[in-house]
Amino acid sequence: MSKEKIIANGIKNVLHPAFVRTPTQVSPSVPGKVSLIPSRLPPLPTVRDLVRIYRVRARRSLSQNFLLNKNINEKIVTSAGIQNGDHVLEIGPGPGNITRQILERGPQQLFVLEKDRRFLPMLEMLADATYPEQMKIIVGDVMDYTFDNLFPEHLRKEWHEESPAIRIIGNLPFNVSTPLIIRWLRLMSDHSGFYRMGRIPLTLTFQREVAERMIAPVMDHQRSRLSIMCQHLCNVKIRFTIKGKSFVPAPNVDVAVVKFIPLIEPKISLPFNVVEKFVRHLFIYRNKQIHKCLKTLFPKDMHDLNEELFIKSAIERDLRPTMLSIDEIGAMCHVYNEFCTENPGLFEFNHQAKKTLSVNQFLNQQATWINED
């Protein structure tokens, strides 16, 4: 069947009276709640056919891998806990494989954010098959958005309350997944961006190796900065793994579906920037003793603070980073934060700067910066 014929049939089906309904015309499955699930979506071409018709190929530069298996896509949506009437944001829908499964759950509103314009015709066909305003397409790079005002204000919940009826889901390109989750953990810590709406759960895909680092426990060789940043802010779990051969084209790695549920109280009660910097330096030399790692936090003439850090926190200086619990890391973080409060400019110290300053030069430089401000 030609491309034009399929598109024409799709539009014809969308306009057929059997599919043009308002939500109030659909019998609710739960008393008092209107069902937003269409009796069936129009018989649109399959995702595999659309990819072939539009000659869309995965771009290596965007780390694209299509997941065309309906059962796996349905399992991802089930893991996200999407229900009738929820508000959903999908990141990187591509040809709409997961999107279709989300729509079959009957969301009140579905936003999809796609960077690659080649997928717009496919996504627009799905949008045309939904109730008016049920699905909206945003074209752009996810790293450019914080989604502060995306969801209706009446959905907002206090942080200590249950999660709002909002779900975020995405089959992420490998090249953006780790920077994105660090960015979103920052929003989570600050209760900003879409996290001003409450404790919104995330269901995202990662390379299995990255996902295993996120959940790595104490003494695990994969424990890292990412482990600590995720676990101190979230309940993070791998829901299931997907074989690489399930994707088109098939990557050389398996993929894990990871769910993040924000904690009511973080395990380390300090600003995100402080925790992130401390943990980054803690794991800078993964196989060395922690006193050598944390020495990079201080100028040369202030290395006595490095020894004082272990005394005040009651942590042994010759441990390895992977041997520390989050509580132990938190204890050292608090001491480091005290040092930064007592020594203005210490937090801004960069051990990789070309010139190493003495303590007097360092304080003079800080005074100059303050005067300039």
Side-chain angles (χ1 to χ4, degrees):
M1 185 180 292
S2 69
K3 170 180 172 180
E4 292 76 11
K5 185 74 174 290
I6 288 180
I7 294 175
N9 285 346
I11 295 172
K12 181 179 178 180
N13 286 323
V14 168
L15 297 177
H16 192 280
F19 300 110
V20 180
R21 301 182 180 180
T22 63
T24 54
Q25 292 174 299
V26 183
S27 299
S29 57
V30 179
K33 187 172 183 179
V34 174
S35 175
L36 296 169
I37 307 174
S39 56
R40 66 185 179 94
L41 287 170
L44 299 174
T46 65
V47 172
R48 190 178 295 272
D49 286 340
L50 284 170
V51 170
R52 176 178 55 81
I53 291 162
Y54 285 95
R55 295 184 174 87
V56 175
R57 298 183 183 276
R59 286 181 174 171
R60 183 174 298 179
S61 62
L62 298 178
S63 298
Q64 291 175 332
N65 302 92
F66 305 145
L67 184 57
L68 305 180
N69 186 305
K70 179 181 177 181
N71 292 333
I72 296 177
N73 290 324
E74 187 175 3
K75 192 174 180 181
I76 293 173
V77 174
T78 299
S79 296
I82 296 171
Q83 300 178 359
N84 180 66
D86 283 348
H87 291 247
V88 182
L89 169 63
E90 182 189 1
I91 305 300
N97 34 24
I98 293 177
T99 312
R100 192 179 182 95
Q101 300 305 317
I102 295 172
L103 290 172
E104 290 183 354
R105 301 299 175 102
Q108 177 73 38
Q109 193 163 49
L110 168 62
F111 297 95
V112 296
L113 175 65
E114 178 55 58
K115 181 178 181 179
D116 193 338
R117 292 179 176 271
R118 297 176 302 159
F119 296 118
L120 291 183
M122 308 176 206
L123 296 174
E124 287 166 354
M125 289 181 72
L126 275 177
D128 289 341
T130 64
Y131 296 119
E133 301 296 313
Q134 188 179 17
M135 176 177 165
K136 294 185 178 180
I137 303 168
I138 306 169
V139 180
D141 187 333
V142 65
M143 299 302 287
D144 295 333
Y145 292 84
T146 56
F147 307 105
D148 300 71
N149 302 306
L150 186 65
F151 301 107
E153 194 64 27
H154 72 269
L155 297 174
R156 186 171 183 175
K157 298 276 190 179
E158 294 299 324
W159 197 257
H160 64 273
E161 297 179 326
E162 63 181 10
S163 300
I166 299 172
R167 299 292 181 267
I168 296 179
I169 187 172
N171 176 25
L172 302 177
F174 295 155
N175 66 346
V176 76
S177 57
T178 302
L180 180 63
I181 195 59
I182 291 295
R183 178 184 176 89
W184 282 0
L185 289 173
R186 181 185 298 275
L187 298 181
M188 189 186 299
S189 176
D190 298 339
H191 300 182
S192 61
F194 56 78
Y195 275 114
R196 72 181 191 84
M197 303 297 295
R199 294 188 298 120
I200 300 171
L202 307 171
T203 305
L204 306 169
T205 59
F206 298 87
Q207 291 184 50
R208 187 176 69 176
E209 180 184 347
V210 175
E212 289 173 347
R213 288 206 299 268
M214 292 175 173
I215 66 167
V218 177
M219 300 299 293
D220 192 292
H221 73 283
Q222 296 206 68
R223 194 163 173 84
S224 64
R225 173 184 74 125
L226 191 58
S227 314
I228 307 305
M229 296 310 297
C230 288
Q231 294 172 28
H232 111 84
L233 288 168
C234 306
N235 179 4
V236 53
K237 291 184 178 179
I238 295 178
R239 299 306 301 267
F240 62 95
T241 57
I242 307 170
K243 293 292 184 183
K245 64 183 180 182
S246 300
F247 293 83
V248 179
N252 295 324
V253 296
D254 293 339
V255 172
V257 177
V258 184
K259 188 161 187 177
F260 304 81
I261 300 177
L263 298 173
I264 295 177
E265 293 291 339
K267 294 183 180 179
I268 304 174
S269 300
L270 287 171
F272 182 90
N273 286 348
V274 175
V275 179
E276 192 280 329
K277 180 177 182 181
F278 185 87
V279 173
R280 176 161 35 91
H281 283 256
L282 178 64
F283 284 91
I284 195 169
Y285 307 124
R286 291 176 48 82
N287 297 319
K288 290 189 176 182
Q289 296 176 350
I290 57 176
H291 73 92
K292 296 180 180 178
C293 303
L294 296 179
K295 186 182 293 186
T296 59
L297 286 169
F298 306 100
K300 280 188 175 181
D301 290 356
M302 300 177 75
H303 279 176
D304 57 315
L305 293 180
N306 188 35
E307 298 303 320
E308 191 176 345
L309 175 68
F310 300 109
I311 296 171
K312 285 192 170 184
S313 61
I315 304 296
E316 296 180 31
R317 67 195 294 276
D318 58 351
L319 298 175
R320 301 300 196 272
T322 56
M323 300 169 69
L324 296 171
S325 69
I326 291 183
D327 289 341
E328 290 171 323
I329 294 172
M332 290 192 292
C333 269
H334 279 281
V335 175
Y336 173 65
N337 189 54
E338 290 177 12
F339 290 163
C340 291
T341 302
E342 296 166 358
N343 299 273
L346 176 59
F347 181 76
E348 288 75 20
F349 172 71
N350 178 7
H351 77 288
Q352 293 178 327
K354 292 182 179 180
K355 182 179 179 181
T356 302
L357 304 178
S358 68
V359 71
N360 289 331
Q361 291 172 323
F362 178 68
L363 294 176
N364 289 338
Q365 183 66 64
Q366 294 306 310
T368 302
W369 291 342
I370 293 171
N371 291 334
E372 288 176 352
D373 292 340

